[in-house]
Amino acid sequence: MMVDGGLKMHIGLIGGIGPAATDFYYRRLISTFASRKAALELTIVHADTPTLLKNLSANDAEAQVAIYTRLTNRLVAAGAGCVVVTSIAGHFCIEAFKACSPLPVIDMISEVSAAVEERGLKRIGILGTRTVMETRFYGGVRSAEIIPPNGGDLDDVHQAYVAMAASGVVTEAQRSIFNHVSRKLLEEGGAEAIMLGGTDLALVFNQDAAPFPLVDCAALHVDAVVRLAIA
C-alpha cells in the first residue's frame, strides 16, 4: 500500500490477551500514526486469556505456539507483514514462536532490553504475572538487576494482575496493591524505576503522570512496531 510516497507495513496483532492490553496497542497505534500523518494498515486476531494463562502456568510453550501459529496464518491471509503478541505474559514462548512463525515477530523483550540499557538503569522493580516476576522478565534484560516483590507481595500482585487482565478493568483494591508494592520496591528494594511487566498495567499507570519512573514495556513495544512499519 503506497501512502505519503512510501510503503507502509500492514501490522498484524495477536490481541485479546487481555482486552485492555489490546485496546492500549490499538489506541496508541492509531494516535501515533495520526500524529505522523501516516495511514495505518492493521489486522487484529483474537487469542483467549484463560487459555494463555493455563499454558503459561504449565509452561506449555508448544500449545501456545500452536495457537499463535494458527492465528498468524490468518494474518498472512489478511496481508500482514509482521506479527505482534500484545501480551508480556504471552512472551513466555516467544523464542519458540519466532523460530516457526509464518511472519517476522516483533519481540518486546529485546526492545525493552535495549531501552533499559540506553537509559542507564541498574535496579528495576517489576510488576506482572508470577512467571514474569519470578523469571525477571524472562531473563531478557542483561544490563540491569530486575527486582521482583517479596513473598506475599508477589502473590498479591500476581492475583490482582490476573483478575484485572481477565476482566479488562482495574478495581481500587487492585490499584492499591500495585501502588503499595511499587513504593516498597522503590523505597526498600532500592529500585530506580518500576517495570510494567504486564501490558494491562496501562489501566493503572500513566507514564506521563506517574509519581515515579516507569519502564513501560507495552509502550516501548508499540513504538518499535511503529518504527518498523513506517521505516
Side-chain angles (χ1 to χ4, degrees), residues 87-103:
S87 164
I88 295 173
H91 273 65
F92 83 98
C93 59
I94 202 69
E95 291 301 322
F97 177 48
K98 284 161 64 176
C100 65
S101 172
L103 289 173

Side-chain angles (χ1 to χ4, degrees), residues 5-27:
L7 188 66
K8 304 297 186 291
M9 182 179 289
H10 183 147
I11 300 166
L13 297 186
I14 296 179
I17 42 177
T22 308
D23 180 70
F24 175 85
Y25 275 73
Y26 190 29
R27 290 178 183 274

Side-chain angles (χ1 to χ4, degrees), residues 14 49 121 177 183 203 209 220 225:
I14 296 179
T49 301
L121 296 169
I177 289 170
R183 293 194 179 282
L203 291 168
L220 291 168
V225 174

